[in-house]
Amino acid sequence: MAIDTQTTNTVPHQTAPRNDRLTGRARLVLFVLCAAQFMVALDFSVLNVALPVLGRDLGMSPSALQWAVTAFALPSGGFLLLFGRVADLVGRKKLFLTGLAVFGAASLLAAFAWDPASFLTGRAVQGLGAAVIVPTGMSLLTTTFPEGPLRDRALGISGTLLSLGFTVGMVLGGVMTDTLGWRSTMGLLAVAAVIVLFLAPGLLPESRTPERPRLDVPGAVTVTGGLLALIYALSTAAQRGFGGADVRGTLLAGLVLLAAFAVVESRAAAPLVSLPMLKRRTIAWGNIGGLVTFSMMSTVVFALTLYLQETLHLSSFRTGLVFGVQGIASVVAGAYAPRLIGRLGARRVLVGSLLGQGVFTAALLGVGTGSGALLATAAVSLASMCHLGAIISYGVTVTSGVPDGEQGLATGLVTTTQQVGITIGIPLLGVLATTQASLFDGVRTVLAIDAAVVLAAALLVAVGLGRRKA
């Protein structure tokens, strides 16, 4: 819908001119929405390097430190689809502001935590706030900027900041922990939430579906339970492998619940996820491309971090510089990807980006045990540029042609794909790097499988989307 200063209770007719020029107000709206997405992305990585210090401060054992990440990942991934649909019904702006308030308060609790229980509670509530912010922010973006060049550009900026947030978090977390302490990382997130919460009410328009269908409670229960079980199993497997009975049990429970969800949705009068929507080629294959690019790129970063620090023995600072170059490359890609989409179409850019990500990931196989930092920096930066192109083009592919009333559902699928992709990559492949006799051989094995998966996905997405322009 068009940028407007008035708040409405339904989705207004799109009246904004279909050009690629952003007005001053549109820039402010985009800044607020992207700042919220960047804040959540930052939260995924800013704490990672601080975990050893945090554990000593709060008295958490090394085996318990995984819960600092898992406590956030469980609700942030598990409740995305539910809150994306609830936002369609009760109002996206209203829920977005609520999520910001919850996220900010939880960040303060984590910053001032006095024991492991209070810290993990703060992290879990942070994840719940993120599960509200991400789908509502994305659906506000796609309903505020009309389909075409404006939306492509907005999604490009959002995707760039999303990718950059993970990279900046890794570097910033180390600097802040060394200079101000680990609590400053959580305090930074609280300050960011307050700033966005202050700016958002006067800038963002309200939107919801004009109809008020009943919420699909059985669907919400099964999909949320299934995602929670799946994310728990995969997050725990990243630390302890798949041998534990709790890991296998929750993994099976997650798959059963997701299968039950598909059955429920096929019979529901007002389904949480429209199965006919999932049958659209753009949505089905676009999300497959998104799942692969997120899961495989997160695995590359994990494997490369091990290689740089454990094989080449680079310091945390120099390792951060490598990923800093990667972040700059992502910004450049984010600026040009929407233009490529405008010229070539989202389908071609998605397929080409996956091909590029796979090729440059394969180039990382050329690193050695004595040298390889320069090759690693160049290859991961180029792979990240292609990864950013895949992020933006899959977002455009999935949301194009979807009515405003279903944008919350479509963007809920997009953001669920993102979170699940980020969560499953390292448990599925990263564990191979740490369980081989040689860490270097394990890293090479992970990179080889990673590249093969991305290249295979590029072929499948190209065939699946066919000749239809996304």
Side-chain angles (χ1 to χ4, degrees):
M1 78 183 176
I3 305 291
D4 198 314
T5 58
Q6 297 180 345
T7 299
T8 59
N9 291 326
T10 60
V11 180
H13 180 67
Q14 291 184 355
T15 57
R18 300 181 70 84
N19 55 53
D20 58 357
R21 295 183 63 85
L22 293 172
T23 65
R25 183 176 179 80
R27 291 176 187 273
L28 289 174
V29 171
L30 185 58
F31 169 79
V32 167
L33 295 175
C34 288
Q37 302 283 348
F38 180 83
M39 174 184 70
V40 174
L42 196 70
D43 198 7
F44 269 96
S45 58
V46 72
L47 197 64
N48 287 349
V49 295
L51 288 178
V53 178
L54 180 155
R56 290 193 295 270
D57 188 24
L58 293 179
M60 297 176 68
S61 65
S63 61
L65 285 179
Q66 64 151 325
W67 283 101
V69 178
T70 304
F72 178 85
L74 277 171
S76 67
F79 289 95
L80 278 169
L81 272 177
L82 174 61
F83 284 127
R85 186 54 175 162
V86 170
D88 286 343
L89 303 178
V90 305
R92 294 157 185 150
K93 175 183 175 181
K94 183 187 303 180
L95 209 60
F96 179 75
L97 297 178
T98 302
L100 285 170
V102 169
F103 186 90
S107 298
L108 281 178
L109 175 59
F112 291 102
W114 55 93
D115 60 12
S118 58
F119 174 74
L120 293 178
T121 299
R123 289 292 287 164
V125 180
Q126 266 187 328
L128 195 64
V132 177
I133 294 169
V134 173
T136 54
M138 184 67 76
S139 58
L140 280 168
L141 187 149
T142 55
T143 55
T144 299
F145 295 92
E147 187 174 331
L150 274 178
R151 184 184 293 178
D152 293 354
R153 187 175 178 188
L155 285 171
I157 295 171
S158 177
T160 300
L161 291 178
L162 178 69
S163 179
L164 189 61
F166 293 108
T167 304
V168 170
M170 295 176 65
V171 179
L172 191 61
V175 173
M176 294 185 70
T177 300
D178 287 343
T179 57
L180 300 174
W182 69 266
R183 296 178 187 273
S184 65
T185 62
M186 297 292 98
L188 173 66
L189 296 171
V191 171
V194 170
I195 293 173
V196 177
L197 190 58
F198 175 77
L199 296 173
L203 288 172
L204 298 180
E206 183 58 283
S207 66
R208 64 166 64 94
T209 56
E211 309 87 19
R212 299 300 298 273
R214 294 173 57 187
L215 180 63
D216 175 20
V217 176
V221 170
T222 51
V223 72
T224 302
L227 288 173
L228 286 172
L230 185 64
I231 293 169
Y232 170 83
L234 294 175
S235 298
T236 306
Q239 304 293 327
R240 298 193 277 112
F242 288 93
D246 60 332
V247 174
R248 295 196 300 268
T250 51
L251 181 61
L252 178 61
L255 294 175
V256 170
L257 284 169
L258 291 177
F261 171 68
V263 175
V264 168
E265 296 307 277
S266 67
R267 301 175 180 178
L272 186 67
V273 173
S274 170
L275 294 184
M277 175 181 282
L278 291 178
K279 294 178 181 178
R280 296 181 186 177
R281 282 196 279 178
T282 53
I283 290 180
W285 290 103
N287 275 298
I288 288 174
L291 182 69
V292 169
T293 192
F294 270 104
S295 60
M296 294 300 102
M297 198 64 210
S298 66
T299 306
V300 168
V301 172
F302 173 78
L304 200 59
T305 301
L306 291 177
Y307 166 74
L308 293 173
Q309 293 190 347
E310 302 298 331
T311 301
L312 297 187
H313 305 292
L314 297 187
S315 65
S316 297
F317 176 74
R318 292 182 66 187
T319 301
L321 289 180
V322 172
F323 293 110
V325 174
Q326 176 197 18
I328 295 172
S330 297
V331 172
V332 173
Y336 284 96
R339 301 181 187 181
L340 283 176
I341 292 172
R343 292 179 181 177
L344 304 177
R347 170 190 169 274
R348 291 177 179 174
V349 174
L350 176 57
V351 173
S353 296
L354 289 172
L355 284 172
Q357 181 179 330
V359 168
F360 290 118
T361 298
L364 287 167
L365 295 172
V367 299
T369 56
S371 62
L374 289 178
L375 173 60
T377 303
V380 76
S381 297
L382 292 170
S384 292
M385 294 181 74
C386 296
H387 168 63
L388 213 289
I391 291 175
I392 297 169
S393 55
Y394 110 84
V396 173
T397 300
V398 172
T399 59
S400 296
V402 178
D404 278 358
E406 296 180 350
Q407 281 295 337
L409 176 56
T411 55
L413 290 171
V414 170
T415 51
T416 299
T417 296
Q418 292 174 0
Q419 304 304 325
V420 173
I422 293 168
T423 303
I424 68 174
I426 294 174
L428 289 178
L429 290 183
V431 69
L432 294 176
T434 57
T435 55
Q436 303 262 332
S438 164
L439 177 64
F440 178 69
D441 290 339
V443 167
R444 283 177 56 86
T445 300
V446 169
L447 293 174
I449 297 174
D450 191 296
V453 169
V454 178
L455 291 172
L459 178 61
L460 290 173
V461 170
V463 174
L465 289 176
R467 296 183 178 181
R468 180 180 298 178
K469 185 178 180 180

